[in-house]
Amino acid sequence: MKTVTVLRHAKSDWSDAALRDFDRGLNDRGYRAAAVMGRWAAQQGLSFDAIIASPAVRVVETLKRFREAHGDCPEPVFDMRIYLAGGATIAEVLSETSDSVSQILLAGHSPGLEELILTAVADNGRSALRGAVEVKFPTAALAVLDFDIADWASLATDMSHRARLRAFVRPRDLDPSLGPDSV
């Protein structure tokens, strides 16, 4: 079994319209949400052998806050292929992981992360968690996927319906002030 914890970057700062998309950092709500999610992950006992992430500034800043709040986390490996990638590209990146790694924290962007989750988890009509991801995978949301595989390489050929969605948590689930109607 291999586990991928999927983390979308937290809320980005749009105050400087001159910044490229890649260079946008987090706003105050984003910093708070990243820390809330890191604390939750630690409280749930989630651990990571590796972190693979987009090098976009908002992902780097999300991971910094998440890791500070979580505690014991490895250094991230930043891979440009994750930036704005689709689910198939993300699966390809995951497939290159050493089989000595069992648990990965994957940090990136929408819509590729949702695509990965929705392809990996079967739509049997009975999963409320999958249905919630299908509706929206908001900023700083976290999902835990358990893949019934022995090696990461198998994801390169087919990731369809190979995972169970163990958890899906949004910042607003943990702190209502981080909801969409909050400032």
Side-chain angles (χ1 to χ4, degrees):
M1 169 120 60
K2 304 288 187 186
T3 300
V4 178
T5 300
V6 179
L7 175 66
R8 182 175 173 201
H9 68 78
K11 193 64 120 175
S12 57
D13 184 359
W14 287 83
S15 64
D16 185 350
L19 282 178
R20 294 181 316 152
D21 176 74
F22 186 88
D23 296 326
R24 278 188 288 113
L26 299 182
N27 66 17
D28 289 339
R29 191 167 115 198
Y31 282 114
R32 287 183 317 174
V36 164
M37 299 311 286
R39 281 191 295 278
W40 181 86
Q43 291 165 352
Q44 300 306 304
L46 297 179
S47 62
F48 316 106
D49 302 321
I51 299 175
I52 302 172
S54 161
V57 172
R58 61 191 178 274
V59 176
V60 172
E61 290 181 359
T62 297
L63 280 174
K64 183 177 185 312
R65 278 296 172 99
F66 180 95
R67 291 174 64 232
E68 287 170 352
H70 183 279
D72 188 32
C73 285
E75 286 293 321
V77 172
F78 295 103
D79 190 319
M80 190 63 182
R81 294 175 295 170
I82 302 280
Y83 177 63
L84 303 181
T89 300
I90 295 170
E92 183 179 311
V93 171
L94 291 172
S95 76
E96 297 169 2
T97 303
S98 166
D99 289 330
S100 64
V101 171
S102 294
Q103 302 174 94
I104 294 174
L105 174 60
L106 171 69
H109 309 269
S110 176
L113 296 178
E114 295 101 302
E115 187 180 319
L116 175 81
I117 295 165
L118 296 175
T119 301
V121 178
D123 183 8
N124 58 17
R126 296 186 307 253
S127 173
L129 292 178
R130 188 188 187 285
V133 169
E134 196 168 347
V135 169
K136 185 168 186 185
F137 195 72
T139 54
L142 184 146
V144 181
L145 298 169
D146 293 322
F147 284 89
D148 188 17
I149 56 174
D151 58 81
W152 293 106
S154 63
L155 292 181
T157 55
D158 181 24
M159 71 169 171
S160 298
H161 309 160
R162 307 223 31 204
R164 179 180 70 87
L165 182 56
R166 182 180 0 145
F168 171 55
V169 180
R170 302 164 299 190
R172 70 177 178 219
D173 298 332
L174 307 173
D175 180 347
S177 76
L178 296 171
D181 297 330
S182 304
V183 176

